[in-house]
Amino acid sequence: IGKVVFRGLVKGTVKIVNNSNDLINKNITRRDIIVSEKVNPDLFSLLSKAGGLITVDGGVTSHIAIQARQHRIPTIQGVEGATRLLHDGDRIELDAKRLKI
């Protein structure tokens, strides 16, 4: 199900970001929710631009979790299958208050 890293409620458009090419090819804005398979340092530059973050791996003490809290981005980590269930362009509501997507 996942763990809430930073509480909040955001509606937005899914942008799948798994590698450096995704960073270059996708224009991330506050209306976007980043969904990523792996937590990696490439995501750090996007956190200040994104509205929310969902990751398949990672935990509440990971570096990306600390960054998400610093940027006050609603974030849920450890969501098994997130990148299979969600696709670029999906409109979703990320409820990191109740742990719902």
Side-chain angles (χ1 to χ4, degrees):
I1 283 199
K3 293 183 177 157
V4 172
V5 170
F6 187 80
R7 294 191 182 283
L9 174 67
V10 63
K11 293 179 184 177
T13 303
V14 169
K15 297 275 179 89
I16 305 292
V17 177
N18 283 318
N19 57 50
S20 299
N21 288 334
D22 291 338
L23 294 173
I24 295 166
N25 297 326
K26 298 181 183 182
N27 182 28
I28 304 296
T29 70
R30 280 294 210 195
R31 296 179 303 273
D32 297 326
I33 298 170
I34 298 170
V35 179
S36 183
E37 184 76 30
K38 301 232 179 257
V39 175
N40 65 58
D42 292 338
L43 291 177
F44 299 158
S45 64
L46 297 177
L47 286 181
S48 62
K49 299 176 185 178
L53 175 65
I54 299 169
T55 65
V56 174
D57 69 353
V60 296
T61 59
S62 69
H63 193 68
I64 194 79
I66 294 166
Q67 292 289 317
R69 286 190 288 271
Q70 287 177 342
H71 290 286
R72 305 180 65 78
I73 305 294
T75 301
I76 300 176
Q77 287 190 297
V79 181
E80 188 70 34
T83 55
R84 288 190 314 273
L85 298 171
L86 300 170
H87 304 92
D88 274 332
D90 288 351
R91 297 275 307 152
I92 65 169
E93 179 177 275
L94 169 60
D95 187 345
K97 294 178 179 180
R98 296 188 188 132
L99 193 58
K100 289 171 60 177
I101 300 171

